[in-house]
Amino acid sequence: MFLHLLKYRLKSLIRGKSLIFWIYAFPIVLGTFFNLSFGNMLKEDEFSFSPVPVAFVAEGNTDTSFEQILDGLSKEGEDQLFKLTKTEDGNAKELLNDGKVDGILYASPKLSLTVTGEGVNQTIIKSFLEQYLKDKTIYEQIGSTHPEKMEAAISVLSKNIQFNNEISFSNTKMNNLSQYFYALIAMTCLYGSFIGTVCVEDIQANLSVIGARRGIAPTHKFKAILADYIGGVLVNFSSVLLLFFYLIVILGIDFGTRIPYILVTGLLGSVIGVSFGTFVGAISKIPSHLKDAIISVLSLALSFFSGLMFNNMKDIVEHHFPLFNRINPAALITDCLYSLNMYESFDRFYSDIAIMGVIAALLLVGTYFMLRRTRYANIPGIF
């Protein structure tokens, strides 16, 4: 009996043209517009490193090895770290004041650095100088105490030295525009609330003809509700899978290699979407047309705060009202996808999944208490 109910619920949902458009076609159309709008920006790396412009005042230089290292790191190529300008003190200060270099390295009376800010480039120059001075001190100590081990020390300290090395935790080319597609997935999950509303209305005799017919049928009510709910989740999850396929295979959007975890995120997002719809649909005092409006507005609003229209919106909320990101289902879904691509650890992903599970459970419990023991004295205006 349960499979029979599930089968016909699936047929009923798939034949709803309006419903199918909003959960299957609309996200694909929106994803296509995103891709057309962003164009080649999606193929660019999130962070493109450029050599750090730095001036070197070599007057009175007695440390030739330092200058040789600077020259080596300034050679054009993929590993170029500095864009070096050798000049006198006055011209170097002028370049620094004009913003044409990010720092000045002085060779005498001792190696020193002058910068005017605390940005990334200034930090790179400072770290380089500190590392050089540290290694130089080690060499001098070894040379004075154990000169016979100098060759071995040079071999160890110079091993695997890489100043400019790009690493990735998930083999994913993360792009700041990816947030739009994460939010699109979240919106599709929340659009499952339309399905949830239809499923609940179809078992309430005072809201639909189908509900009135099913109300007098001998079918156990719990089986009917469970079949409708599972059917709704399956249909919504299939729309999420279709969207993933379109974005990844057709448009070439990179979601990373952790596919099973991505699918878990989509499935739990579908559960939340349908559960949200059943919760709103179970509020019998709200007219059907008003329920659709509430769901539409809330779904878009939650998706907006997760970055659907402005990709930095979730970060803005995180700085001003972080609790909202912890309870916003759309933000949690996008955060799951983001953490899978950015972090080697799964701690943040599991935390988001746990919160999503709690939200889904609360919505289902609320729906249960509103639907249980529903009785009708009469059903006016249905037939």
Side-chain angles (χ1 to χ4, degrees):
M1 176 59 73
F2 175 78
L3 294 178
H4 180 79
L5 294 171
L6 178 60
K7 172 185 173 183
Y8 281 93
R9 171 46 64 186
L10 291 174
K11 283 186 175 181
S12 173
L13 291 174
I14 292 174
R15 288 173 181 172
K17 295 180 181 179
S18 174
L19 201 62
I20 293 303
F21 170 78
W22 286 110
I23 65 171
Y24 282 99
F26 182 68
I28 289 177
V29 172
L30 194 56
T32 303
F33 279 121
F34 280 169
N35 189 63
L36 292 175
S37 302
F38 300 147
N40 291 330
M41 290 189 294
L42 290 169
K43 299 177 182 178
E44 296 176 353
D45 293 339
E46 181 188 23
F47 180 74
S48 180
F49 180 79
S50 298
V52 179
V54 59
F56 178 54
V57 179
E59 297 173 359
N61 183 23
T62 58
D63 191 345
T64 56
S65 59
F66 180 74
E67 186 171 356
Q68 289 175 357
I69 292 175
L70 274 181
D71 290 336
L73 294 175
S74 303
K75 289 183 179 178
E76 293 186 358
E78 295 182 355
D79 296 330
Q80 182 180 2
L81 182 62
F82 294 129
K83 184 179 180 182
L84 190 63
T85 302
K86 295 182 179 180
T87 183
E88 57 183 10
D89 185 29
N91 188 44
K93 290 179 179 177
E94 186 175 343
L95 291 174
L96 183 64
N97 292 330
D98 293 341
K100 295 181 179 179
V101 297
D102 292 316
I104 304 173
L105 287 167
Y106 291 95
S108 65
K110 63 178 182 179
L111 287 175
S112 60
L113 171 66
T114 297
V115 294
T116 56
E118 297 180 352
V120 175
N121 286 353
Q122 289 81 2
T123 303
I124 291 174
I125 304 172
K126 183 180 178 183
S127 298
F128 162 74
L129 182 59
E130 290 177 347
Q131 185 65 41
Y132 175 81
L133 293 174
K134 178 182 175 183
D135 290 348
K136 182 181 179 182
T137 301
I138 294 175
Y139 287 135
E140 289 176 347
Q141 290 178 348
I142 294 176
S144 61
T145 57
H146 301 284
E148 74 281 2
K149 297 182 179 179
M150 177 60 75
E151 185 176 350
I154 293 175
S155 177
V156 171
L157 292 175
S158 61
K159 189 177 181 181
N160 294 329
I161 293 179
Q162 290 180 300
F163 291 97
N164 182 14
N165 184 30
E166 182 179 358
I167 60 173
S168 172
F169 292 124
S170 61
N171 296 322
T172 303
K173 290 184 178 180
M174 185 70 184
N175 191 298
N176 59 352
L177 299 176
S178 299
Q179 183 67 26
Y180 287 105
F181 295 95
Y182 298 162
L184 181 62
I185 296 294
M187 186 202 73
T188 306
C189 291
L190 295 186
Y191 268 19
S193 55
F194 291 111
I195 301 176
T197 304
V198 171
C199 291
V200 169
E201 289 182 349
D202 284 351
I203 60 172
Q204 290 183 291
N206 61 329
L207 296 181
S208 66
V209 175
I210 296 177
R213 292 173 180 170
R214 298 177 79 183
I216 60 175
T219 307
H220 195 284
K221 193 172 183 179
F222 178 75
K223 287 184 179 178
I225 294 174
L226 185 61
D228 287 0
Y229 180 79
I230 293 177
V233 172
L234 290 177
V235 170
N236 192 34
F237 184 50
S238 67
S239 71
V240 175
L241 292 179
L242 179 64
L243 182 59
F244 270 129
F245 175 81
Y246 181 73
L247 295 178
I248 296 173
V249 178
I250 305 299
L251 300 185
I253 306 301
D254 195 349
F255 279 83
T257 57
R258 294 167 169 174
I259 300 300
Y261 298 94
I262 293 173
L263 296 181
V264 169
T265 303
L267 177 60
L268 193 52
S270 299
V271 170
I272 285 186
V274 177
S275 301
F276 178 61
T278 59
F279 180 82
V280 175
I283 304 175
S284 59
K285 295 182 179 180
I286 301 178
S288 296
H289 66 279
L290 188 55
K291 291 177 182 176
D292 290 340
I294 292 174
I295 286 174
S296 181
V297 170
L298 285 178
S299 298
L300 284 177
L302 295 175
S303 300
F304 168 75
F305 286 111
S306 71
L308 182 65
M309 292 82 167
F310 180 53
N311 62 342
N312 289 329
M313 180 54 65
K314 191 161 75 73
D315 294 332
I316 294 174
V317 175
E318 186 68 28
H319 283 91
H320 294 85
F321 189 31
L323 178 61
F324 185 68
N325 277 345
R326 304 289 93 73
I327 61 175
N328 178 2
L332 291 169
I333 293 170
T334 59
D335 201 60
C336 280
L337 298 173
Y338 174 81
S339 64
L340 288 174
N341 286 327
M342 284 301 296
Y343 301 109
E344 186 177 20
S345 169
F346 286 93
D347 294 345
R348 184 164 171 174
F349 172 77
Y350 288 139
S351 174
D352 291 336
I353 288 293
I355 297 174
M356 290 167 65
V358 171
I359 292 175
L362 291 175
L363 291 171
L364 289 176
V365 170
T367 303
Y368 169 76
F369 278 103
M370 285 189 284
L371 291 180
R372 67 170 186 168
R373 299 176 181 177
T374 303
R375 298 291 185 270
Y376 305 100
N378 56 69
I379 309 176
I382 293 294
F383 298 101

